[in-house]
Amino acid sequence: MTKRGRPRKDPNAPKQPYNVSTIERARRATQKRIRDQRRKAKKASAKAEHHKHAAKKIESSAKKIQDGLNGTASRVIDESDLTVASESVRDLVEDQEVIFRPNNGPQEEFLSSSEEDVLYGGAAGGGKSFALLVDPLRYCHNPNHRGLLLRRTLDELTELIDKSRQLYTKAFPKAHFREAKSTWVFPSGATMWFTYLDRDKDVTRFQGQAFNWIGIDEITQYPTPYVWDYLRSRLRTTDDELRPNMSMRCTGNPGGVGGWWIKKMYIDPHEFNKPFAATDIESGQQLLYPDGHEKARQPLFYRKFIPARLTDNPYLMQDGRYEAMLRSLPEVERKRLLEGDWDVAEGAAFPEFSKERHVVAPFEIPTNWPRIRAADYGYASPSCVLWGAIDWDDNIWIYRELYVKQHTGEQLADRILEIEQTEPTPQYSVLDSSCWNKTGFGPSIAETMIRLGVRWTPSDRNRLQGKMEVHRRLADNPLTKLPRIRIFNTCSNTIRQLSGIPLSKSNSEDVDTKAEDHAYDALRYLSMCRTSPFTSIHKSLSHIKEQVYKPQDNTFGY
Ligand SMILES: Nc1ncnc2c1ncn2[C@@H]1O[C@H](COP(=O)(O)OP(=O)(O)O)[C@@H](O)[C@H]1O
Ligand SMILES: [Mg+2]
C-alpha cells in the first residue's frame, strides 16, 4: 500500500484477456494490413510522379546542353540548366569547354545585378570589359533583343570586337558579325551593335533608335554625363519579356576626364554594392516619376556601384607580372589603377590626402583644446563653416562642418550661434575677406554677422600660401608621426573636396577655382591660424598678470 490513493498494480498479475472474439480480432488485423499497404502504395506513386517530373526537366536541360554542344542552341546555357541536370549530364558538360564562368566576387555580382543602371568600376584588369561583353548574351535568344555597346574611340572598340569574336561564336556558333554594320546578328534575329562615339554632338546617330541593353565601356573617358543622358532616353523595347530587364551597364577605371561626374553619380551617393534610388548629380535629389504618372513620386530607377579589384581576377593575378607593373606606376595612377581609388581626381591638387590617415571617427573634444572656426560664404553657391580644435601638439582636428545654400548673412549667423550654444566660443574665427566688400551704404555680410554676435576676422588673401599651409598640415608632424590635420568622418564635403579638387589648368600652383571649393577654402583659412593651447594659456596668464601685478587700488603697496 502507498500512503495515499489507490494500491499499485501488481506487475505479476495475469493479463486481462481481449473482450472481443477471435474472429473480430482477425478482421481488425486484416483491415490494418490493408490500410498500411494503401499508404505505402500512395507514397510510392507520389515518388514516381516526382521522378517523372525531374526526368522531364533533365531531358529538356540535356537537350539544351546537347544543342549547345552541337552549336544549334537557341539560347545560352546557364547555371540553372546545370543545377537541374543529373550527375551524368553534369559530367558531360564538365568534360566540355566552358565558355565563360564568372570570377567569384564583383564580376559575379555585376552579372547577377537586377538594377537598371550599374557601374562596375575600379582597378584595371578586374575583368570589367569581359563581363560587359558577356552580360547581354543572356537576351540573345530573343529575336527582339537590341543591344548597343559603346566605346569612345575606334581603336579601343576594335579590342572589344576582337574579344567578342572569341566569346560570341562560342556561345552561339551560328552568330555572325556583319563588318559593314559593326553588328552581331544571332540566329534568333537578336542584334548587338558595337560602335564608338567620340564627340557629344554625334549622339544624333542614335536618334529614333531603341535598345533594351546599353553598355558603355570606360565611361570615365566621357567628360560630361551628356552621352549617358542621351542614351538612357534610347532605352526602350516593346517586348514584354525584355522590358523588365532593360539595362544600362557601364565600366570604367577611376580618373579620366569624366571621373568627377561618375563619382557624383555612382560613388558618392550610396554604399557600394547596394542598390539606391538614382539621384540627380547636380542637386542630389532623387529622380522620381512625375505627378500624374501611375507611379507618381516613386523612384524612376535604381542604381548600383560595384567596385572592381584586380585581386578578383585570377586570370591576371596568376603570374603577378601585371600587378607588379601597376605597382610601379606613379602614386596617383597607382592609386587609381591598382587600388581602384576614386578619390584621386585628374591632376589632383592634394594627392597625399588619404582617407585612411586623415579621416577619423568623431570623439569628444577635450575642453582645454582651443576652438577655431572658419567660413567661406556663398548664397546661390554653398556656404561652408568649419569648426576645429587644436591639440597640445599643435595638430588641428576639424570636428564639424556646416554646408548650406541660400542662407543670408543673418540666417547663417543664427545657425552658428545655435550650434555654438553649448560649447566654448572659438578663439580664432576667420571669414572670407570678400565678405567685407560693400557695394553701397548698407552693411556688408561680415558686418551683419558680427552685429548679431558672430565675430570674424578677415581671411588671408594669399591663395598660394594658404594652399602650401594645407600641404604642410596634411604632412606628418615629426613629434607624433601623424598628420597635422585630421578630419572627423562627419565632415563629408570637406573630405570629398580635399580628395577630389583638381589643380588649375592655367596655374599649376593653385587649385581649379571652377571646381566646387567652398569647403576647401574654409579649410585653407582655418589652416592659416596661429592659435595653439600655449598661446591661449599665455593669453589667459597675461590677463591674470594684468589683474595681479597692475592692481587698480594699489593694495600691493606700490
Ligand atoms: N570570368 C573570366 N573568365 C575568363 N577570363 C577572364 C574572366 N574575367 C576576366 N578574364 C580575363 O582577364 C582579362 C582582363 O579582363 P578585362 O575585362 O579586360 O579587365 P578590365 O576591363 O577590368 O581592365 C580578360 O582579357 C580576360 O582574358
Ligand atoms: Mg577594360
Side-chain angles (χ1 to χ4, degrees):
M1 278 284 284
T2 51
K3 277 186 187 165
R4 273 183 292 139
R6 278 194 304 173
R8 273 207 185 119
K9 247 187 185 172
D10 179 2
N12 300 322
K15 275 190 178 170
Q16 287 284 319
Y18 286 113
N19 55 0
V20 286
S21 69
T22 311
I23 294 175
E24 178 60 18
R25 273 168 57 200
R27 196 184 65 81
R28 286 185 189 178
T30 314
Q31 264 181 348
K32 185 171 179 298
R33 258 204 308 279
I34 293 172
R35 268 201 317 271
D36 287 351
Q37 292 295 336
R38 272 203 194 126
R39 212 176 292 134
K40 270 187 193 159
K42 211 172 164 187
K43 250 187 179 172
S45 123
K47 216 171 175 181
E49 191 59 35
H50 176 76
H51 282 311
K52 212 165 114 189
H53 188 68
K56 254 190 188 166
K57 258 185 163 178
I58 291 168
E59 202 182 325
S60 88
S61 294
K63 186 172 177 323
K64 230 179 275 168
I65 291 163
Q66 196 58 52
D67 286 350
L69 301 175
N70 297 341
T72 52
S74 61
R75 72 194 247 336
V76 171
I77 302 158
D78 58 31
E79 274 290 316
S80 64
D81 296 323
L82 297 185
T83 50
V84 295
S86 69
E87 283 299 311
S88 56
V89 176
R90 261 174 181 278
D91 291 347
L92 175 68
V93 171
E94 273 163 17
D95 280 349
Q96 307 296 324
E97 186 192 2
V98 174
I99 303 164
F100 175 82
R101 185 171 275 141
N103 299 327
N104 290 336
Q107 200 180 54
E108 196 173 15
E109 182 143 344
F110 176 68
L111 289 168
S112 57
S113 296
S114 56
E115 295 74 28
E116 189 176 311
D117 182 18
V118 179
L119 169 69
Y120 180 22
K128 305 183 297 289
S129 307
F130 211 60
L132 191 67
L133 279 175
V134 171
D135 191 57
L137 282 179
R138 71 186 80 196
Y139 309 117
C140 291
H141 64 283
N142 186 320
N144 293 323
H145 167 75
R146 295 286 170 271
L148 168 71
L149 207 151
L150 202 68
R151 272 222 62 157
R152 185 142 185 223
T153 66
L154 180 61
D155 285 348
E156 295 156 337
L157 180 72
T158 314
E159 224 179 276
L160 275 185
I161 294 176
D162 288 346
K163 277 195 189 166
S164 73
R165 281 184 208 278
Q166 299 162 16
L167 269 171
Y168 287 13
T169 44
K170 279 187 191 160
F172 291 92
K174 297 218 167 136
H176 63 280
F177 186 64
R178 279 203 204 153
E179 298 278 352
K181 295 200 163 177
S182 192
T183 301
W184 278 98
V185 182
F186 294 86
S188 65
T191 59
M192 276 294 303
W193 182 20
F194 280 56
T195 188
Y196 70 97
L197 182 81
D198 195 359
R199 291 168 307 176
D200 284 357
K201 64 183 169 76
D202 294 339
V203 290
T204 46
R205 275 169 51 214
F206 305 113
Q207 216 165 14
Q209 309 240 23
F211 305 96
N212 57 291
W213 186 97
I214 297 174
I216 309 177
D217 192 32
E218 290 300 345
I219 191 165
T220 45
Q221 292 180 354
Y222 288 99
T224 67
Y226 184 80
V227 169
W228 187 96
D229 283 339
Y230 187 87
L231 287 180
R232 187 165 181 277
S233 72
R234 306 289 94 206
L235 201 62
R236 280 177 296 163
T237 181
T238 47
D239 188 301
D240 291 341
E241 186 196 325
L242 294 171
R243 196 173 303 114
N245 298 317
M246 286 196 306
S247 33
M248 296 281 290
R249 295 285 180 264
C250 308
T251 69
N253 297 321
V257 286
W260 68 273
W261 68 269
I262 292 290
K263 210 164 157 307
K264 277 188 174 179
M265 195 149 134
Y266 295 96
I267 294 153
D268 291 339
H270 203 73
E271 230 178 296
F272 300 170
N273 292 318
K274 299 254 165 74
F276 61 95
T279 48
D280 176 70
I281 69 166
E282 286 312 323
S283 63
Q285 302 284 324
Q286 272 188 13
L287 298 169
L288 303 173
Y289 278 99
D291 288 334
H293 191 279
E294 60 180 65
K295 292 186 183 169
R297 317 304 300 160
Q298 286 180 31
L300 201 54
F301 61 94
Y302 283 84
R303 279 206 172 111
K304 188 158 82 182
F305 168 61
I306 300 173
R309 293 173 304 234
L310 174 64
T311 46
D312 298 317
N313 184 359
Y315 296 89
L316 279 186
M317 279 302 283
Q318 263 158 14
D319 69 355
R321 262 185 295 173
Y322 188 69
E323 190 192 353
M325 183 276 287
L326 291 180
R327 284 201 185 283
S328 66
L329 291 172
E331 187 181 1
V332 170
E333 285 303 300
R334 196 197 65 235
K335 275 191 170 177
R336 279 189 199 143
L337 296 180
L338 179 68
E339 295 159 29
D341 190 342
W342 288 86
D343 291 334
V344 280
E346 184 84 351
F350 299 99
E352 72 269 44
F353 178 75
S354 132
K355 280 191 188 163
E356 257 168 47
R357 291 187 56 74
H358 295 102
V359 178
V360 293
F363 57 86
E364 180 118 14
I365 300 280
T367 46
N368 60 357
W369 290 8
R371 312 283 174 125
I372 54 179
R373 162 183 9 102
D376 186 45
Y377 180 80
Y379 183 78
S381 54
S383 292
C384 179
V385 188
L386 294 181
W387 280 264
I390 302 173
D391 70 15
W392 291 84
D393 293 315
D394 208 20
N395 301 312
I396 297 184
W397 300 77
I398 311 281
Y399 65 92
R400 188 187 298 119
E401 166 191 285
L402 175 68
Y403 205 75
V404 287
K405 253 184 175 178
Q406 291 174 343
H407 274 47
T408 59
E410 201 169 344
Q411 285 166 329
L412 191 63
D414 284 345
R415 290 287 295 271
I416 294 172
L417 287 174
E418 195 187 318
I419 288 171
E420 287 178 358
Q421 247 173 17
T422 54
E423 62 181 35
T425 315
Q427 296 191 1
Y428 166 90
S429 48
V430 57
L431 174 68
D432 175 9
S433 54
S434 63
C435 291
W436 273 262
N437 292 352
K438 287 216 288 191
T439 45
F441 294 110
S444 66
I445 292 160
E447 228 180 300
T448 311
M449 290 168 82
I450 293 169
R451 256 197 229 158
L452 287 166
V454 179
R455 293 180 158 277
W456 295 110
T457 45
S459 66
D460 191 322
R461 275 185 169 272
N462 193 323
R463 295 185 60 87
L464 302 192
Q465 267 175 23
K467 179 167 174 282
M468 289 322 295
E469 186 57 21
V470 176
H471 281 298
R472 194 188 72 84
R473 293 263 178 204
L474 287 172
D476 282 359
N477 183 338
L479 282 177
T480 57
K481 309 263 184 294
L482 286 168
R484 290 190 185 91
I485 198 160
R486 242 79 61 82
I487 304 168
F488 279 15
N489 59 17
T490 44
C491 305
S492 53
N493 292 287
T494 313
I495 296 168
R496 183 165 46 79
Q497 288 178 25
L498 255 185
S499 52
I501 201 160
L503 281 175
S504 156
K505 295 211 169 48
S506 52
N507 176 6
S508 59
E509 292 298 318
D510 198 4
V511 304
D512 184 353
T513 47
K514 287 197 197 88
E516 198 182 348
D517 61 357
H518 311 285
Y520 162 70
D521 280 344
L523 183 78
R524 185 161 55 86
Y525 305 148
L526 203 70
S527 303
M528 296 295 267
C529 107
R530 291 169 188 272
T531 307
S532 83
F534 300 104
T535 52
S536 56
I537 285 184
H538 184 72
K539 262 190 203 162
S540 49
L541 281 181
S542 59
H543 174 66
I544 292 167
K545 251 196 258 165
E546 264 167 35
Q547 282 191 348
V548 176
Y549 300 116
K550 293 181 191 166
Q552 308 298 311
D553 56 3
N554 202 12
T555 42
F556 289 86
Y558 52 84

